[in-house]
Structures are given as structure tokens and as C-alpha cells.
Amino acid sequence: MLKRFFTRRAGGMLWRNTVVSTGVFLVGLGVLWLLVEQAGVDPVLATGISFLIANSIHYVFGRTWIFAGSERKLSTGYALFLGNAIVGLIVTVGLFWVLTHWTPINYLVARVIVSVFAGLTVFVLNAALNFKQV
């Protein structure tokens, strides 16, 4: 299975996913900042909320551009995408909590660091299990 991820096609999907992920990550980061700084929401809870908002937007682009041609039904694909996002959410919130509670790292910097790990995890799950493109 690992070989399937080291192809030109998979690289193109990863590149498109990176473009979309960066855009929705910035939206999520903005939502995180608004929730923490303007609404006074706990940073860990706000991270979870902003992550889910960004992932819902990401699905639209995933379905139409990143993994174009998926034969999975829209509703089933979205449900699986959110299931994969929950795995990413666990990685995100867990690593975020570790970094913000056990290190002096600023919460926004911590969120950037954990996004790399969570993003790759969710990409692999969606590429292989949801959209079945690799």
C-alpha cells in the first residue's frame, strides 16, 4: 500500500491537498484567534471548533478538486470525511494540549506545528479509505 502513495498521481493529490489545507488552515486559525481573543473561549475547545469548521470547508474542495472523480455518494463521502477529521481532531487537540501544557510554546505556534501531523494523517485516510484514489 505504501507504494501507492509514492506516485506522480498521489503527489499531485498531496500538492492540491496542501494548497487547500493551507487555505482552510488560515481560516481555521482566524476562527481560533477570534474564539480565544474575542470570545474568551478556552484555547483547547476553540481549537476543536475551528478544526471542524475548516474541515467542513476542506471537504468541498476535496470532493471537487483534490480527489476529483470519486464515485462515493456525497453524503457517505462527507460522513467518512468527518470520521477521518475526528481522527485528525484527536491528533490535533491531543498534540496541541501536550505542547501548550508542557512547553512554553504560544498556542498559535503550537497549532501550526500540530497541523502538519494531523494534516498528513487525514490526507492518507481520505486518499486511501474515503475517496479511494490511491
Side-chain angles (χ1 to χ4, degrees):
M1 177 156 152
L2 191 58
K3 277 183 164 181
R4 297 185 314 193
F5 282 94
F6 291 99
T7 65
R8 176 171 281 205
R9 184 169 182 270
M13 286 186 288
L14 180 58
W15 178 83
R16 290 188 300 273
N17 187 74
T18 301
V19 169
V20 171
S21 292
T22 301
V24 298
F25 176 73
L26 292 174
V27 169
L29 207 56
V31 170
L32 174 62
W33 180 83
L34 285 171
L35 288 172
V36 172
E37 300 297 333
Q38 302 301 313
V41 176
D42 175 76
V44 173
L45 177 60
T47 295
I49 293 167
S50 67
F51 181 86
L52 290 174
I53 290 169
N55 271 276
S56 294
I57 297 167
H58 194 167
Y59 178 72
V60 172
F61 288 100
R63 177 94 184 170
T64 59
W65 188 47
I66 300 165
F67 305 107
S70 175
E71 295 180 13
R72 188 168 306 277
K73 292 171 74 174
L74 183 65
S75 59
T76 305
Y78 185 64
L80 289 170
F81 195 87
L82 289 180
N84 292 338
I86 290 171
V87 173
L89 178 63
I90 291 166
V91 171
T92 298
V93 174
L95 288 177
F96 181 83
W97 183 86
V98 167
L99 288 177
T100 58
H101 281 83
W102 292 353
T103 72
I105 294 175
N106 176 275
Y107 74 94
L108 293 173
V109 174
R111 181 61 181 94
V112 170
I113 292 168
V114 301
S115 72
V116 173
F117 296 100
L120 286 173
T121 300
V122 172
F123 170 77
V124 167
L125 291 171
N126 280 314
L129 303 176
N130 186 6
F131 297 104
K132 297 183 180 184
Q133 298 289 317
V134 293

